[in-house]
Amino acid sequence: MENIKEIKQDDEEIESIDEQQSDATIVSSVIASSFWTRKSKYRKLTEKQKQLYKEMNDKPKEDVDKLKTNFDKNNIFEIENFNFWYDNRSKHALKDVNMKIRRKKVTALIGPSGCGKSTFIRCLNRMNDQIDATSYEGNIYFDKGINLRSKKLNTLELTTRVGMIFQKPSPFPMSIYENVAYGPRSHGINDKKTLDKIVEESLKGAAIWDEVKHSLYDLGTSLSGGQQQRLCIARAIALKPETLLMDEPTSGLDPIATSKIEVLINQLKQQFTIIIVTHSMAQAQRVSDETAFFYQGHVIEMDSTKRMFTAPKNKKTREYISGKIG
């Protein structure tokens, strides 16, 4: 599968890429400086960095409002040369990520803690924009080829079309009914019959209707952990998104609740694209169609889940799956 660039095979190549990214990070910070600060910083650059400065500074500005003409209709996201930094570029969290995410499939993101998985999915609905001192370069194209940076795609529209399910269930401190109706109400839907229909359909879609249909006006926070997570899924799908982002949605849940969420994921992929972060190799194999392995901010390998777990191409992938690194 040609979903990503093969960017490394061993530790030496990872170190080489990190050195290149370090130069790019230093040069980017110089370019972003004020005029006088830039002159001072430029003098301290190596000859290699000065050459990179010229290449980056002379690069024509990209028209982010332009559609990607070769966007594959079978994909929901196409990510190209994407980098992301925290803390004014002192922490390089994602490094030259290139991947394609297929429509109406479940894609699992695996890798050690701190490798960039959660940062990556929050980039897909621009949730990281709310964090101070972050920056990014590269492009993420959505649906028919629209750049996430385009002014034609506002944040409200994006977060409606790309729903988020967090690691810890987070129902609002209101009734089960109002939890699900909240999103449609915020979009101007106030007709009672319409809301009743949306709430019922969403709770059925999240496989929790039969458990709560006689207690719709009880607090959502009164439900068990697994039920709360399914309520949050119902709240997300009430807005009819194209994609659901799930950041370790079964972390902390008991095996029975976990099983119910996994069954639900397999049902939901008939209607939605699902991207799930998981630390469980078994869960990735049970629920996903494709798997991407993240390591130190890089996407090391991406393939069908079956091939990834039976015949990984990369040494680092084999070591992670076998438990040698983690």
Side-chain angles (χ1 to χ4, degrees):
M1 183 178 293
E2 299 290 334
N3 270 4
I4 63 167
K5 294 178 179 177
E6 287 292 336
I7 57 173
K8 62 199 75 62
Q9 291 297 324
D10 52 35
D11 288 337
E12 290 182 6
E13 291 182 49
I14 289 177
E15 289 170 5
S16 173
I17 287 173
D18 285 343
E19 184 181 341
Q20 295 169 21
Q21 293 296 342
S22 176
D23 285 341
T25 299
I26 292 167
V27 171
S28 295
S29 69
V30 174
I31 292 172
S33 302
S34 62
F35 177 74
W36 292 109
T37 305
R38 192 186 316 154
K39 287 182 69 175
S40 172
K41 288 184 175 179
Y42 178 82
R43 287 194 291 269
K44 297 177 183 178
L45 296 178
T46 65
E47 289 304 314
K48 179 182 172 186
Q49 289 168 347
K50 285 178 180 178
Q51 179 59 36
L52 184 59
Y53 176 97
K54 185 176 187 308
E55 292 171 6
M56 292 174 68
N57 203 38
D58 291 346
K59 190 175 179 181
K61 297 291 183 185
E62 183 182 8
D63 183 0
V64 296
D65 290 328
K66 217 171 168 184
L67 287 176
K68 186 174 188 282
T69 54
N70 62 343
F71 189 90
D72 187 339
K73 66 180 181 179
N74 294 311
N75 297 331
I76 194 72
F77 284 105
E78 293 186 5
I79 299 94
E80 296 183 349
N81 304 316
F82 190 78
N83 291 268
F84 186 89
W85 293 267
Y86 290 105
D87 302 329
N88 294 312
R89 296 198 173 221
S90 65
K91 181 181 177 184
H92 197 173
L94 295 172
K95 303 170 184 178
D96 199 30
V97 173
N98 289 273
M99 61 192 296
K100 296 175 181 178
I101 297 175
R102 307 293 279 179
R103 194 182 297 270
K104 291 190 178 177
K105 300 287 185 183
V106 179
T107 299
L109 310 182
I110 63 172
S113 296
C115 66
K117 306 182 300 296
S118 294
T119 293
F120 176 71
I121 64 167
R122 290 197 302 266
C123 289
L124 298 180
N125 67 353
R126 296 191 57 176
M127 187 169 287
N128 285 328
D129 289 7
Q130 301 171 29
I131 303 173
D132 291 336
T134 60
S135 59
Y136 55 88
E137 291 175 0
N139 296 302
I140 299 178
Y141 297 99
F142 174 57
D143 199 18
K144 296 165 184 176
I146 188 166
N147 196 312
L148 290 196
R149 292 184 287 155
S150 173
K151 294 174 184 175
K152 297 177 181 178
L153 182 65
N154 65 54
T155 305
L156 177 61
E157 180 187 354
L158 179 61
T159 52
T160 299
R161 297 175 67 186
V162 183
M164 184 82 176
I165 311 298
F166 297 97
Q167 180 176 346
K168 184 179 179 181
S170 54
F172 300 145
M174 54 182 67
S175 71
I176 294 166
Y177 182 99
E178 289 300 332
N179 261 276
V180 181
Y182 183 88
R185 281 192 199 280
S186 67
H187 283 70
I189 299 174
N190 292 299
D191 177 70
K192 181 70 164 57
K193 286 185 178 179
T194 303
L195 286 173
D196 287 349
K197 183 179 179 183
I198 291 172
V199 169
E200 181 174 345
E201 288 179 350
S202 301
L203 290 169
K204 283 180 175 177
I208 193 175
W209 170 254
D210 288 338
E211 297 168 49
V212 301
K213 62 185 178 182
H214 298 304
S215 55
L216 292 177
Y217 296 97
D218 289 355
L219 282 174
T221 51
S222 68
L223 298 171
S224 69
Q227 288 174 322
Q228 286 187 27
Q229 194 65 293
R230 281 181 286 148
L231 174 60
C232 291
I233 292 171
R235 186 175 67 199
I237 66 178
L239 291 172
K240 305 293 184 188
E242 284 108 306
T243 301
L244 289 174
L245 309 176
M246 297 186 170
D247 191 358
E248 297 189 62
T250 60
S251 177
L253 298 183
D254 61 73
I256 293 174
T258 294
S259 177
K260 287 183 178 180
I261 296 289
E262 290 180 357
V263 169
L264 177 57
I265 288 171
N266 281 312
Q267 292 170 352
L268 289 173
K269 76 176 182 180
Q270 307 302 319
Q271 300 173 263
F272 310 101
T273 302
I274 297 174
I275 303 166
I276 178 172
V277 171
T278 179
H279 280 287
S280 168
M281 301 298 99
Q283 183 173 76
Q285 293 176 76
R286 286 193 298 265
V287 304
S288 70
D289 302 293
E290 298 183 348
T291 298
F293 170 49
F294 281 68
Y295 187 73
Q296 296 181 359
H298 299 284
V299 177
I300 301 296
E301 185 172 348
M302 183 174 183
D303 209 333
S304 75
T305 297
K306 183 177 180 180
R307 279 195 295 267
M308 179 73 86
F309 284 95
T310 57
K313 300 182 182 71
N314 192 279
K315 177 185 174 184
K316 277 281 177 281
T317 312
R318 291 194 294 273
E319 290 177 341
Y320 179 72
I321 289 172
S322 66
K324 291 182 180 178
I325 60 172

